[in-house]
PDB file of all heavy atoms in Angstrom:
ATOM      1  N   PHE A  74      -9.112   8.544  -9.094  1.00  0.00           N
ATOM      2  CA  PHE A  74      -9.008   7.095  -9.165  1.00  0.00           C
ATOM      3  C   PHE A  74      -7.539   6.682  -9.169  1.00  0.00           C
ATOM      4  O   PHE A  74      -6.679   7.366  -9.738  1.00  0.00           O
ATOM      5  CB  PHE A  74      -9.637   6.569 -10.453  1.00  0.00           C
ATOM      6  CG  PHE A  74     -11.112   6.278 -10.376  1.00  0.00           C
ATOM      7  CD1 PHE A  74     -12.029   7.172 -10.894  1.00  0.00           C
ATOM      8  CD2 PHE A  74     -11.571   5.106  -9.794  1.00  0.00           C
ATOM      9  CE1 PHE A  74     -13.385   6.900 -10.841  1.00  0.00           C
ATOM     10  CE2 PHE A  74     -12.922   4.818  -9.729  1.00  0.00           C
ATOM     11  CZ  PHE A  74     -13.837   5.725 -10.257  1.00  0.00           C
ATOM     12  N   SER A  75      -7.245   5.518  -8.574  1.00  0.00           N
ATOM     13  CA  SER A  75      -5.940   4.901  -8.768  1.00  0.00           C
ATOM     14  C   SER A  75      -5.889   4.325 -10.174  1.00  0.00           C
ATOM     15  O   SER A  75      -6.924   4.136 -10.825  1.00  0.00           O
ATOM     16  CB  SER A  75      -5.689   3.807  -7.729  1.00  0.00           C
ATOM     17  OG  SER A  75      -6.672   2.779  -7.840  1.00  0.00           O
ATOM     18  N   SER A  76      -4.697   4.030 -10.666  1.00  0.00           N
ATOM     19  CA  SER A  76      -4.541   3.601 -12.055  1.00  0.00           C
ATOM     20  C   SER A  76      -5.219   2.266 -12.340  1.00  0.00           C
ATOM     21  O   SER A  76      -5.575   1.977 -13.488  1.00  0.00           O
ATOM     22  CB  SER A  76      -3.063   3.522 -12.428  1.00  0.00           C
ATOM     23  OG  SER A  76      -2.375   2.650 -11.551  1.00  0.00           O
ATOM     24  N   ASP A  77      -5.432   1.448 -11.302  1.00  0.00           N
ATOM     25  CA  ASP A  77      -6.100   0.159 -11.499  1.00  0.00           C
ATOM     26  C   ASP A  77      -7.575   0.204 -11.087  1.00  0.00           C
ATOM     27  O   ASP A  77      -8.248  -0.837 -11.031  1.00  0.00           O
ATOM     28  CB  ASP A  77      -5.378  -0.955 -10.742  1.00  0.00           C
ATOM     29  CG  ASP A  77      -5.317  -0.709  -9.238  1.00  0.00           C
ATOM     30  OD1 ASP A  77      -5.888   0.314  -8.777  1.00  0.00           O
ATOM     31  OD2 ASP A  77      -4.718  -1.529  -8.523  1.00  0.00           O
ATOM     32  N   ASN A  78      -8.084   1.388 -10.782  1.00  0.00           N
ATOM     33  CA  ASN A  78      -9.497   1.616 -10.433  1.00  0.00           C
ATOM     34  C   ASN A  78      -9.915   1.019  -9.098  1.00  0.00           C
ATOM     35  O   ASN A  78     -11.108   1.071  -8.755  1.00  0.00           O
ATOM     36  CB  ASN A  78     -10.445   1.079 -11.517  1.00  0.00           C
ATOM     37  CG  ASN A  78     -10.181   1.663 -12.880  1.00  0.00           C
ATOM     38  OD1 ASN A  78      -9.691   2.785 -12.997  1.00  0.00           O
ATOM     39  ND2 ASN A  78     -10.490   0.911 -13.919  1.00  0.00           N
ATOM     40  N   THR A  79      -8.994   0.461  -8.338  1.00  0.00           N
ATOM     41  CA  THR A  79      -9.383  -0.189  -7.084  1.00  0.00           C
ATOM     42  C   THR A  79      -9.598   0.805  -5.951  1.00  0.00           C
ATOM     43  O   THR A  79     -10.281   0.484  -4.970  1.00  0.00           O
ATOM     44  CB  THR A  79      -8.315  -1.204  -6.647  1.00  0.00           C
ATOM     45  OG1 THR A  79      -7.062  -0.523  -6.472  1.00  0.00           O
ATOM     46  CG2 THR A  79      -8.157  -2.299  -7.699  1.00  0.00           C
ATOM     47  N   LEU A  80      -9.042   2.009  -6.071  1.00  0.00           N
ATOM     48  CA  LEU A  80      -9.137   3.001  -5.013  1.00  0.00           C
ATOM     49  C   LEU A  80      -9.623   4.335  -5.575  1.00  0.00           C
ATOM     50  O   LEU A  80      -9.347   4.678  -6.722  1.00  0.00           O
ATOM     51  CB  LEU A  80      -7.786   3.205  -4.324  1.00  0.00           C
ATOM     52  CG  LEU A  80      -7.141   1.992  -3.656  1.00  0.00           C
ATOM     53  CD1 LEU A  80      -5.744   2.342  -3.170  1.00  0.00           C
ATOM     54  CD2 LEU A  80      -8.000   1.474  -2.502  1.00  0.00           C
ATOM     55  N   VAL A  81     -10.337   5.082  -4.738  1.00  0.00           N
ATOM     56  CA  VAL A  81     -10.725   6.453  -5.038  1.00  0.00           C
ATOM     57  C   VAL A  81     -10.282   7.325  -3.870  1.00  0.00           C
ATOM     58  O   VAL A  81     -10.692   7.095  -2.723  1.00  0.00           O
ATOM     59  CB  VAL A  81     -12.243   6.594  -5.252  1.00  0.00           C
ATOM     60  CG1 VAL A  81     -12.620   8.065  -5.419  1.00  0.00           C
ATOM     61  CG2 VAL A  81     -12.690   5.797  -6.460  1.00  0.00           C
ATOM     62  N   ALA A  82      -9.446   8.317  -4.149  1.00  0.00           N
ATOM     63  CA  ALA A  82      -8.987   9.245  -3.116  1.00  0.00           C
ATOM     64  C   ALA A  82      -9.848  10.499  -3.146  1.00  0.00           C
ATOM     65  O   ALA A  82     -10.150  11.041  -4.214  1.00  0.00           O
ATOM     66  CB  ALA A  82      -7.526   9.606  -3.348  1.00  0.00           C
ATOM     67  N   ALA A  83     -10.246  10.958  -1.957  1.00  0.00           N
ATOM     68  CA  ALA A  83     -11.049  12.166  -1.825  1.00  0.00           C
ATOM     69  C   ALA A  83     -10.307  13.146  -0.914  1.00  0.00           C
ATOM     70  O   ALA A  83     -10.021  12.830   0.243  1.00  0.00           O
ATOM     71  CB  ALA A  83     -12.427  11.849  -1.250  1.00  0.00           C
ATOM     72  N   GLY A  84      -9.981  14.332  -1.446  1.00  0.00           N
ATOM     73  CA  GLY A  84      -9.294  15.359  -0.678  1.00  0.00           C
ATOM     74  C   GLY A  84     -10.284  16.352  -0.104  1.00  0.00           C
ATOM     75  O   GLY A  84     -11.125  16.891  -0.819  1.00  0.00           O
ATOM     76  N   LEU A  85     -10.200  16.601   1.209  1.00  0.00           N
ATOM     77  CA  LEU A  85     -11.197  17.402   1.905  1.00  0.00           C
ATOM     78  C   LEU A  85     -10.707  18.814   2.209  1.00  0.00           C
ATOM     79  O   LEU A  85      -9.505  19.090   2.207  1.00  0.00           O
ATOM     80  CB  LEU A  85     -11.604  16.712   3.208  1.00  0.00           C
ATOM     81  CG  LEU A  85     -12.030  15.250   3.138  1.00  0.00           C
ATOM     82  CD1 LEU A  85     -12.541  14.788   4.493  1.00  0.00           C
ATOM     83  CD2 LEU A  85     -13.074  15.029   2.061  1.00  0.00           C
ATOM     84  N   ALA A  86     -11.656  19.687   2.508  1.00  0.00           N
ATOM     85  CA  ALA A  86     -11.340  21.074   2.826  1.00  0.00           C
ATOM     86  C   ALA A  86     -10.599  21.218   4.149  1.00  0.00           C
ATOM     87  O   ALA A  86      -9.966  22.240   4.399  1.00  0.00           O
ATOM     88  CB  ALA A  86     -12.623  21.901   2.867  1.00  0.00           C
ATOM     89  N   ASN A  87     -10.666  20.199   5.014  1.00  0.00           N
ATOM     90  CA  ASN A  87      -9.963  20.260   6.299  1.00  0.00           C
ATOM     91  C   ASN A  87      -8.575  19.618   6.252  1.00  0.00           C
ATOM     92  O   ASN A  87      -7.937  19.458   7.285  1.00  0.00           O
ATOM     93  CB  ASN A  87     -10.802  19.599   7.387  1.00  0.00           C
ATOM     94  CG  ASN A  87     -11.046  18.118   7.129  1.00  0.00           C
ATOM     95  OD1 ASN A  87     -10.514  17.545   6.184  1.00  0.00           O
ATOM     96  ND2 ASN A  87     -11.868  17.493   7.964  1.00  0.00           N
ATOM     97  N   GLY A  88      -8.106  19.249   5.054  1.00  0.00           N
ATOM     98  CA  GLY A  88      -6.772  18.698   4.905  1.00  0.00           C
ATOM     99  C   GLY A  88      -6.693  17.188   4.930  1.00  0.00           C
ATOM    100  O   GLY A  88      -5.648  16.615   4.615  1.00  0.00           O
ATOM    101  N   GLN A  89      -7.766  16.518   5.258  1.00  0.00           N
ATOM    102  CA  GLN A  89      -7.753  15.061   5.261  1.00  0.00           C
ATOM    103  C   GLN A  89      -7.881  14.508   3.841  1.00  0.00           C
ATOM    104  O   GLN A  89      -8.427  15.156   2.942  1.00  0.00           O
ATOM    105  CB  GLN A  89      -8.890  14.514   6.118  1.00  0.00           C
ATOM    106  CG  GLN A  89      -8.736  14.763   7.604  1.00  0.00           C
ATOM    107  CD  GLN A  89      -9.817  14.058   8.412  1.00  0.00           C
ATOM    108  OE1 GLN A  89     -10.712  13.423   7.862  1.00  0.00           O
ATOM    109  NE2 GLN A  89      -9.730  14.163   9.725  1.00  0.00           N
ATOM    110  N   VAL A  90      -7.356  13.308   3.661  1.00  0.00           N
ATOM    111  CA  VAL A  90      -7.563  12.547   2.436  1.00  0.00           C
ATOM    112  C   VAL A  90      -8.130  11.195   2.837  1.00  0.00           C
ATOM    113  O   VAL A  90      -7.531  10.478   3.637  1.00  0.00           O
ATOM    114  CB  VAL A  90      -6.257  12.343   1.643  1.00  0.00           C
ATOM    115  CG1 VAL A  90      -6.504  11.458   0.429  1.00  0.00           C
ATOM    116  CG2 VAL A  90      -5.671  13.687   1.219  1.00  0.00           C
ATOM    117  N   LYS A  91      -9.290  10.875   2.302  1.00  0.00           N
ATOM    118  CA  LYS A  91      -9.900   9.582   2.587  1.00  0.00           C
ATOM    119  C   LYS A  91      -9.857   8.728   1.326  1.00  0.00           C
ATOM    120  O   LYS A  91     -10.163   9.210   0.231  1.00  0.00           O
ATOM    121  CB  LYS A  91     -11.330   9.761   3.090  1.00  0.00           C
ATOM    122  CG  LYS A  91     -11.380  10.510   4.431  1.00  0.00           C
ATOM    123  CD  LYS A  91     -12.714  10.399   5.122  1.00  0.00           C
ATOM    124  CE  LYS A  91     -12.661  11.068   6.490  1.00  0.00           C
ATOM    125  NZ  LYS A  91     -13.920  10.903   7.255  1.00  0.00           N
TER     126      LYS A  91
END
Side-chain angles (χ1 to χ4, degrees):
F74 272 101
S75 61
S76 57
D77 60 3
N78 303 332
T79 59
L80 300 173
V81 174
L85 309 186
N87 63 5
Q89 291 187 357
V90 176
K91 296 195 176 184

